[in-house]
Amino acid sequence: MDPAELADRLGRWSAGRGPLYLLLAARLRRLVDEGELPPGTALPPDRPLASALAVGRGTVVAAYEQLRLEGRIVRRQGSGTRVAGPARATPQETTGAPVFLHLLEPRDDDVILLACAAPTAPPPIVLSAYERALTRLGAAAEETGYHPAGHPQLRRAVADHYTRRGVPTHPGQILVTNGGQQALSLLARAFVQPGGTVLVEAPTYPGALETFREHAAHLRTLPVGLDGFEAALRSSSRRPELAYLVSTHHNPTGAVLPRLARRRLAVAAAAAGVPLIDDEVLAHLAFPGHHTPPPLAASEETTIAVGSLSKSVWGGLRIGWIRAPRPAADRLARLRAVHDLGGSLPAQLAAAELLPHLEAHCQDMAAERQARHDHLAAQLAQHLPEWRTEPVTGGQTLWVRLPHGDGDSFAQVALRHGVAVLPGSGLDASGGSRQFIRIHFLATPETLTEAVHRLTTAWHDYGRRPEQGKGSTAMRSMAV
């Protein structure tokens, strides 16, 4: 197993108390016992794994020795380290992506999570929407609750939402999903064949990369905004099966694609017959005084839009959607019906109550979100002036370039100082962005101040490590 892959699967292994070698042994033991590291699996050599985890070689040696004494692994000179037991047919792999593994970790109050960018509590607008929805639900008659394409009331509300934004939409063009991630998964299943090419930005949202990889796609990268898209279509010997971008408040850089570039991209994709996905999950998160261009679908009806309430309202609502041409929406509904007969009816009715007020809610929250962004940026400028960030006009995250070393190994050191950040390499299918980390600014100013204090201590510790500062080619690590 590659050291980077194992480092991902270990998650927040070092966030507990006690010697590092015991914490590492405990997490490895769990992976072995749960079958995530099946018998016969070759484990990384001591030094590469130590580099991936930003620890001394002795920590890995001691952890391996602990597991050897327990009979869980076998170490032989010349043949390396393996999980004990005869190799057998490997079970179907589960995800190893930090973006998902992070969410499976138990909550640790000692760790400040700057990796998962999402509102941390339901705002009052959610509670009032549920109150109205439950009243409607109580009056419902002859309602089975099965709506694979989404409840008609919510589909109309989403269609009206796009119409208000200058994209006339019929409810039949809307498929409601359990969040934006399910929307991406359905689109990948509908359009991507194993080995097919998907054009993505580098960097981009890591959940999308994992979804396309699950469908065995070949990921071809272009700069943020899919710059060079038309040339890529001309030079490609095989037409891409799909293209994906985050056009507004890009995850992770915060960039906003200009109006003219949107039109050129949408028109080029339509002319080439390449389905173009515009991920609009962050589209409503502009700071006060900043206006974003119309959706790409305003330029070309064939553009597929993905939306969600997880970032603009609250992730626990689990409401997302796809806006697509009617035939594609119908096909996606048939694909979904095999696996999922529809989401929670109360949640859908609440979302239908909430959507007409979404823009106003986001505008109400914009000043506070910018204030937290400004606070984090000021703290970083004061305590870590050598770190570099680009200004943003909205969104939830900062894309930080480290002056030396790499984000993977620094994330491990930061975790041991009580802060979880997301290394840039996991967001870049080209293998680049290793000198970057992504951090969000949604926490309270007090929490952000403490986080920067811990990051500063971690950075000083990182600078004292002799193996750092050389731009290690190691590893993707934990986080979201």
Side-chain angles (χ1 to χ4, degrees), residues 421-462:
V421 300
L422 183 59
S425 60
L427 290 75
D428 194 328
S430 72
S433 300
R434 293 190 178 280
Q435 284 185 271
F436 288 86
I437 59 172
R438 194 198 76 179
I439 55 180
H440 77 72
F441 47 81
L442 300 182
T444 64
E446 296 77 17
T447 299
L448 293 173
T449 297
E450 175 61 22
V452 173
H453 172 73
R454 297 184 188 186
L455 287 172
T456 302
T457 305
W459 183 247
H460 292 158
D461 183 21
Y462 184 74

Side-chain angles (χ1 to χ4, degrees), residues 83 93 95 116 160 170-171 180 283 310-311 384 397 414 429 452-453 475:
V83 178
E93 282 194 10
T95 181
C116 180
D160 291 345
H170 185 275
S310 62
K311 306 298 186 182
L384 292 162
T397 59
V452 173
H453 172 73
M475 323 295 168

Side-chain angles (χ1 to χ4, degrees), residues 192-198 215-219 238 241:
V192 180
Q193 297 296 320
T197 297
V198 177
H215 288 81
H218 167 67
L219 300 180
R238 181 177 178 184
E241 295 183 345

Side-chain angles (χ1 to χ4, degrees), residues 27-28 46-47 138 140 152 159 189 194 200 230 260 271 288-289 298 320 324 341 364 372 405 420 447 465 468 474:
R27 186 58 63 95
L28 286 169
D46 307 342
R47 292 187 189 279
R189 211 156 80 220
V200 297
E230 295 164 278
L260 181 58
L341 294 177
D364 290 342
R372 295 186 179 192
T447 299
R465 299 176 60 83
Q468 306 308 336

Side-chain angles (χ1 to χ4, degrees), residues 136 150-164 169-172 174 176 352 355:
R136 287 180 175 270
H151 190 278
Q153 183 179 340
L154 179 53
R155 296 176 79 189
R156 284 195 298 273
V158 176
D160 291 345
H161 171 72
Y162 277 101
T163 300
R164 288 194 300 272
T169 301
H170 185 275
I174 302 299
V176 176
L355 264 169

Side-chain angles (χ1 to χ4, degrees), residues 122-157:
I125 190 175
V126 171
L127 305 181
S128 59
Y130 262 99
E131 289 175 355
R132 296 192 300 272
L134 291 177
T135 299
R136 287 180 175 270
L137 189 62
E142 298 185 8
E143 171 59 79
T144 67
Y146 296 136
H147 298 283
H151 190 278
Q153 183 179 340
L154 179 53
R155 296 176 79 189
R156 284 195 298 273

